[in-house]
Amino acid sequence: MTILPSMLAADYGHLADETARCEAAGADALHIDVMDGHFVPNLNFGPTVVAAFRRATKLHLDVHLMLERPDLYAMRFAEAGADAISIHVEAPCDIAATLRSIRERGLRAGIVLKPATAADAVKPFIGLFDYVLVMTVEPGYGGQKFMADMLPKIKALATMTPKFPIMVDGGISATTAPLCIEAGATELVAGSALFGAKDMAAAISAMRG
Ligand code: DX5
Ligand code: ZN
């Protein structure tokens, strides 16, 4: 089980220290949320901050683009040192071409589904992505309640062939992680449950089950 702390919930005055804390706690990768104020009603990290994370750690950097036009910005994040970039299937741009351009740079390409988007939306792109990210809250903010009605979607994705990793993001905790794992999730993103824990290593172990 891959555990990715979401840096959205970190202390922004001490990002290098927070990165070191994730490493020491046994995180497998860092999840970095990028928001444009259009696709979601919030703003967050840009490419220069991803470059700062790159300087601070050798951990895999998983960049989640919540952008109206991920096609225009994906390469900026690749240049900044991302190892994986995920784009929303709902974004009004050429999704297949954007996934291809991410892979051509040698990065993992992910496709993300908002809560209202059905599992079948990934079907036209099977073979073009390396993982699916299922949002288990409305994207834009940390600290929201896990949407249990996303579990059937995870199950539906887990039955598709060929198989692919399934990442979940939003409201993941020691309580909700087992439900996602049971449904077929293989990678767990968690912000508030990890950064809010007194002992992040224990919180990560609890999520691994
Ligand atoms: C929400 C982000 C998440 C967020 C999760 O739009 O994509 O990565 O940080 O935060 P928690 O784990 O607090 O729900
Ligand atoms: Zn995210």
Side-chain angles (χ1 to χ4, degrees), residues 119-203:
D120 279 359
V122 307
K123 282 190 173 161
F125 306 105
I126 285 180
L128 295 179
F129 58 79
D130 300 296
Y131 61 106
V132 172
L133 171 51
V134 177
M135 290 309 300
T136 43
V137 297
E138 283 300 336
Y141 296 92
Q144 302 181 79
K145 190 174 177 292
F146 175 77
M147 296 168 74
D149 50 344
M150 294 299 110
L151 294 169
K153 188 196 291 190
I154 299 168
K155 282 189 187 141
L157 289 162
T159 62
M160 291 183 188
T161 48
K163 291 209 170 306
F164 42 77
I166 301 173
M167 186 185 284
V168 288
D169 183 9
I172 303 300
S173 67
T175 312
T176 58
L179 307 174
C180 296
I181 295 167
E182 166 76 25
T186 53
E187 308 195 14
L188 309 176
V189 174
S192 41
L194 294 182
F195 285 95
K198 275 205 188 74
D199 182 345
M200 191 191 280

Side-chain angles (χ1 to χ4, degrees), residues 18 34 62 106 140 153 198:
E18 292 286 66
V34 177
D62 177 69
K153 188 196 291 190
K198 275 205 188 74

